[in-house]
């Protein structure tokens, strides 16, 4: 008779977990604008579920900083200030730099494969004009540092900001073909420097690549001037 563990049926995810995952992806993919009110009623209707799991989902996303729940006012997509963006960029650079160097030391072969796969996916998505797939591949590229670094605490630290970074990445690159084109070159160059042992070169390129402050400020202002209909 098979072992009990082999016969055990895995518990399906809760409605709140599924709702949180769906809403998280929708925000990251730009289906909501920054600062937009998230109607519980519309989410209930769209997901076909009651208010309780929807509220649990919103509270879970609040923990990641992706959603702001304001008592008696409702729930809103996060809406960073220029200072918030600057701090997020600093946090990102610090973590990605250390995780990347740890990944080269801990599992260089796996890191090389994941970076290569991510760049290939970015190339294909750009050629197809698939902005959403490009953003997902871009996010996978940077996540590879943490998947291969061998340190769970580093991964946990990154997850605190990962969804916000992915959302801002969509805002910054999705509408601009030329930014995706230059981004491809940057990702290739960073991978080549990192894997070849050019630590100083990699750090310098990552510093520039991770500094979104000026570009995001302009993009945020453009979004305010041209709100989603």
């Amino acid at each position: 008779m098979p072992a009990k563990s082999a016969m055990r049926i895995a518990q399906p995810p809760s409605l709140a977990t599924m709702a949180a995952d769906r809403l998280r992806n929708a925000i990251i993919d730009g289906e909501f604008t920054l600062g937009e009110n998230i109607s519980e009623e519309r989410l209930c209707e769209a997901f076909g579920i009651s208010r309780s799991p929807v509220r649990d989902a919103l509270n879970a996303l609040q923990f990641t900083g992706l959603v702001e729940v304001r008592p008696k006012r409702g729930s809103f997509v996060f809406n960073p200030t220029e200072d918030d963006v600057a701090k997020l960029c600093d946090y990102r650079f610090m973590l990605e730099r250390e995780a990347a160097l740890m990944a080269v030391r801990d599992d260089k072969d796996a890191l090389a494969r994941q970076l290569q796969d991510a760049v290939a996916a970015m190339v294909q998505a750009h050629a197809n004009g698939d902005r959403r797939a490009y953003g997902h591949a871009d996010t996978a590229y940077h996540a590879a540092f943490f998947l291969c670094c061998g340190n769970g605490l580093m991964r946990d630290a990154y997850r605190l900001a990962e969804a916000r970074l992915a959302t801002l990445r969509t805002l910054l690159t999705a509408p601009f073909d030329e930014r995706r084109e230059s981004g491809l070159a940057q990702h290739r160059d960073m991978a080549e420097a990192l894997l070849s042992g050019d630590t100083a070169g990699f750090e310098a390129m990552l510093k520039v690549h991770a500094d979104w402050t000026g570009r995001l400020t302009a993009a945020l202002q453009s979004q305010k001037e041209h709100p989603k209909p």
Side-chain angles (χ1 to χ4, degrees):
M1 181 176 179
K4 291 182 179 179
S5 59
M7 298 180 66
R8 187 169 296 156
I9 297 174
Q11 292 292 324
S14 68
L15 287 176
T17 297
M18 291 189 288
D21 288 344
R22 175 64 186 91
L23 182 56
R24 178 183 186 274
N25 291 336
I27 293 172
I28 288 173
D29 290 339
E31 294 179 31
F32 291 84
T33 57
L34 299 181
E36 182 176 347
N37 176 252
I38 305 172
S39 166
E40 288 186 9
E41 183 177 349
R42 290 183 181 178
L43 289 182
C44 291
E45 183 179 348
F47 295 156
I49 58 179
S50 66
R51 282 185 180 271
S52 180
V54 165
R55 286 176 178 168
D56 288 343
L58 290 168
N59 286 329
L61 293 178
Q62 181 178 218
F63 178 74
T64 69
L66 199 59
V67 167
E68 298 174 6
V69 179
R70 304 173 191 169
K72 299 182 180 180
R73 294 188 59 191
S75 300
F76 301 81
V77 179
F78 81 111
N79 192 17
T81 65
E82 185 174 350
D83 185 57
D84 292 333
V85 171
K87 290 177 180 177
L88 195 59
C89 289
D90 287 342
Y91 183 78
R92 172 199 178 185
F93 169 70
M94 176 187 67
L95 286 179
E96 287 196 18
R97 178 190 61 197
E98 297 306 318
L101 297 180
M102 292 169 66
V104 167
R105 182 192 66 208
D106 194 70
D107 200 348
K108 184 177 179 179
D109 290 342
L111 176 65
R113 288 193 300 271
Q114 291 191 32
L115 294 180
Q116 182 179 18
D117 289 347
V119 169
M122 291 168 71
V123 170
Q124 186 64 54
H126 184 53
N128 293 339
D130 190 337
R131 297 172 177 178
R132 180 173 298 186
Y134 181 94
H136 291 177
D138 192 343
T139 293
Y141 178 101
H142 295 278
F145 300 149
F146 298 90
L147 292 173
C148 298
C149 75
N151 189 312
L153 292 175
M154 290 286 288
R155 286 192 289 271
D156 290 344
Y158 185 65
R159 288 192 187 105
L160 291 175
E162 186 176 19
R164 281 172 287 170
L165 289 169
T167 302
L168 295 177
R169 184 179 291 116
T170 297
L171 174 65
L172 182 63
T173 62
F176 306 104
D177 291 341
E178 68 278 6
R179 287 183 181 170
R180 294 197 301 278
E181 194 76 46
S182 64
L184 269 173
Q186 290 175 12
H187 286 90
R188 286 195 186 102
D189 291 344
M190 284 191 296
E192 182 179 352
L194 176 63
L195 296 170
S196 67
D198 181 7
T199 300
F202 168 74
E203 289 188 17
M205 284 186 279
L206 179 63
K207 182 66 174 176
V208 173
H209 184 78
D211 185 6
W212 291 344
T213 311
R215 287 174 290 163
L216 272 172
T217 298
L220 291 170
Q221 183 60 38
S222 176
Q223 186 182 76
K224 291 176 182 177
E225 293 173 355
H226 305 91
K228 187 175 69 173

